[in-house]
Amino acid sequence: MHTAPLPLTKDVVLIGGGHTHALVLREWGMRPLAGARLTVINPGPTAPYSGMLPGFVAGHYDRNALDIDLVKLARFAGARVILGSAEHIDTDAREIHVAGRPPIAYDVAAINVGITSAMPDITGFADHAIPAKPLGRFAASWHAFRKADGPAHIAVMGGGVAGVELILAMTHALRTRGRLTQATLIDRSEILADTGNKARRCLRAALTNLGVTIIEHASISQIEAERIVLSDGRAIRSDFTTGAAGARPYSWLAHSGLDLHMGFLSVDEYLQTNEVDVFASGDCAHFDAAPRPKAGVYAVRQAPILFHNLRARLTRAPLRRYHPQKDYLKLISMGDKTAVGERFGQTFSGAWVWRWKDRIDQGFMAQFRNFPQMDTPALPPEHTYDLPESLGDKPMCGGCGAKVGARALKATLLAQPAIQRGDVTALPGDDAALLITGGQRQVISTDHLRAFTADPVIMARIAAVHALGDIWAMGARPQAATANLIVPKLSPALQARTLREIMVAAGGTIRGAGAEVVGGHTSAGDELTIGFTVTGLCNQPPITLAGAQPGDALILTKPLGTGVIMAAEMAGQADGAWVATALAGMCQSQSNTAELLRGANAMTDVTGFGLLGHLLGICVASNLGADLTLEAIPLLPGAATLTSRGVRSSLFDENAAMLPEIATGGLQDLLFDPQTAGGLLAALPAGQAKALLPKLQEHAHDAAIIGRMVTSAGTITLS
């Protein structure tokens, strides 16, 4: 019996990718809630783990060891990930505002955005210092500084455990590289005031052994480019200054209408704010019933409670109380691979403590690197004999990777009867047709994409850019568009939210290209599909595939690799940063680029048939060949790595079959990779191409001359 997908009825939105939310996402992947659509909002594709930051700063871990990949985690959880910073939560409208996109509606929301150690009250801090939190920005800045050359002066403001741990790690890293000149720790009172006597003595000894200068009972007047000026007039040289004093909430929380305690979100024993459908956890929250210090261990312990209570609000089950532990194990790194530990008044130190801490930290991070393999649905006991072969051994790709192969498409088109109307011209090989209306040239095309990302806004922008590609490739200026949408089964409220997000996002892209959205059609189906029929006006004969000339240079305006990256993302094999870069590139309009290329002899957009498939179209139509310079072809970050691992889009084999004379393997496989919202491929005189390239790169940074047209008809060679 066929089982239809269950409709989604409620939106659960996690604001921030902190430790609590990361654990909630992992648990959700193992036990999803039917009917709930899960979303996580975070400024970037990764979330650094605070426990391993000192080890990273000291050089014991690389950057990747520090990060939880939220894109992979969201894929496992079945959640959509929105890369952007939350700026406001409107609890009346039940919406979260993120810059550059429509508001995100919620039925139940949770906030886990951490804190900042920025010091806005100190003159010059914003310009010349780096707060230790948020961790992502600090880690990136420190990585760049540590890799540089020359003598180094460093300073940390704040003598609590976090500040001491940082200055010890920074000092160790720079001494190891032979760069350290001076390290300074500054505090307005006495350092380590909240630490037990034995642990304090141990950490002070470590500071002394590493030559750290300690300045206590000092206030800071201002921070300059290469020095810190104290209120008593003393100046401390510092090339890298960071602040680790205290914890400050993000300012947007103050305008949320939620109850606050000294700027932090007040939560009760259920982790609820004063709004019962808004929860908060981690450092951004203040636990009213039993206040606790800002420490990651509490965020971790809150995760099971938050996971249960989010679901309970949607299932009408009883909520669970959070009971924080009275004390927790403190493990403090001392720069080298030694550490001091403290709990219940007991203190211990040595290399074995660091190894213990390392095992704990590595165990925590392993949860986000090795996801449990969920069982795939078994085939019915009785099925056609060739059903397993048709299913294949991997999920069908989305975007252009889901398109019908070139051979089947060509056979279908050849079977169509000849056009009878004199005002309609089909251009062989081109995806758009030419219409003559009142003496005006108009081109028309349609395209749609099966969704490969759960974010309707990103998907709508990509689908709009993708559909406009046919208009731009013919040298036309976009005029009008109608939408063709299939939305998955949703409750009426979620349907309205999703359609609004799609149309606002797509409308912005299409209007930005100079066209208008004038209507469309919607229907419900099993999965999200977004398409547009678009028209454009030509004040000159359209650019087709057939106009290339011998010696023309070939310009490609976007890097290759979207197919392999999105195929890897579906399988949980692509780094989140690679996916974020690929999605941003697919959203990139080519309006300005197309305008510069309107003088091309031949042009196409590189989409489902891959670079070689679309270049072959130019070669056949122009009765020429092409010679490509493999090393000149721009690639997306991660594309080469994934290809070397054997990752392929599900359309790869069909594309490779179009040019069997070109061997597959290695980087050459990316030439057959189906692209979604890919670049324009233009043939134009070599001198013109060379002069135009710098202007193109102002709008399309990766634009490159990748080869030339040659006289040997229908052949493509690589050099």
Side-chain angles (χ1 to χ4, degrees), residues 285-333:
H286 174 79
F287 191 61
D288 290 335
R292 291 292 187 270
K294 304 300 180 186
V297 65
Y298 295 112
V300 170
R301 296 288 182 89
Q302 288 167 349
I305 305 301
L306 180 63
F307 174 73
H308 173 86
N309 289 349
L310 288 172
R311 300 164 70 91
R313 286 298 302 166
L314 300 178
T315 60
R316 297 183 176 177
L319 301 182
R320 289 182 185 169
R321 289 180 171 86
Y322 166 62
H323 299 286
Q325 64 269 45
K326 294 181 179 180
D327 194 12
Y328 65 96
L329 175 65
K330 304 176 188 70
L331 296 174
I332 307 163
S333 299

Side-chain angles (χ1 to χ4, degrees), residues 332-597:
I332 307 163
S333 299
M334 294 194 291
D336 57 1
K337 291 185 178 182
T338 61
V340 59
E342 186 180 61
R343 190 175 191 186
F344 297 130
Q346 300 297 312
T347 302
F348 33 88
S349 62
W352 69 272
V353 181
W354 192 92
R355 291 193 297 270
W356 184 20
K357 173 176 167 53
D358 179 60
R359 283 196 298 273
I360 292 172
D361 291 336
Q362 296 286 7
F364 178 82
M365 290 299 288
Q367 301 176 90
F368 306 107
R369 298 194 181 108
N370 305 305
F371 296 120
Q373 294 297 312
M374 309 309 290
D375 294 333
T376 55
L379 287 173
E382 188 176 24
H383 55 74
T384 58
Y385 69 88
D386 56 351
L387 180 58
E389 179 182 345
S390 297
L391 281 174
D393 58 358
K394 59 184 177 181
M396 183 176 70
C397 291
C400 272
K403 297 219 170 204
V404 172
R407 291 176 294 182
L409 184 60
K410 183 177 180 181
T412 301
L413 293 176
L414 288 174
Q416 296 300 303
I419 291 174
Q420 302 297 315
R421 294 183 60 103
D423 56 356
V424 177
T425 302
L427 304 169
D430 285 288
D431 292 330
L434 175 64
L435 312 179
I436 304 297
T437 306
Q440 174 69 57
R441 297 185 188 92
Q442 184 185 48
V443 295
I444 185 169
S445 182
T446 190
D447 219 322
H448 71 272
L449 297 173
R450 175 177 174 265
F452 50 80
T453 175
D455 184 356
V457 168
I458 295 297
M459 201 62 236
R461 288 172 177 161
I462 292 171
V465 169
H466 184 77
L468 289 166
D470 294 332
I471 304 302
W472 287 323
M474 299 189 76
R477 293 187 173 98
Q479 177 193 25
T482 58
N484 307 284
L485 308 177
I486 301 174
V487 296
K489 294 180 181 180
L490 304 168
S491 68
L494 264 65
Q495 273 190 351
R497 293 172 186 176
T498 301
L499 290 173
R500 180 186 65 173
E501 286 187 312
I502 290 171
M503 295 311 296
V504 170
T509 296
I510 290 169
R511 280 189 291 275
E516 294 291 343
V517 180
V518 293
H521 176 77
T522 62
S523 61
D526 285 345
E527 58 186 0
L528 178 64
T529 300
I530 303 178
F532 298 93
T533 298
V534 289
T535 64
L537 299 176
C538 290
N539 58 9
Q540 62 185 31
I543 302 170
T544 68
L545 302 178
Q549 301 297 311
D552 275 358
L554 288 166
I555 284 182
L556 179 64
T557 62
K558 284 188 180 183
L560 303 181
T562 62
V564 70
I565 289 173
M566 298 318 298
E569 194 275 333
M570 288 182 65
Q573 298 175 15
D575 287 358
W578 298 344
V579 175
T581 301
L583 292 174
M586 285 184 270
C587 290
Q588 181 184 346
S589 172
Q590 299 198 92
S591 185
N592 293 324
T593 307
E595 192 68 27
L596 290 168
L597 289 171

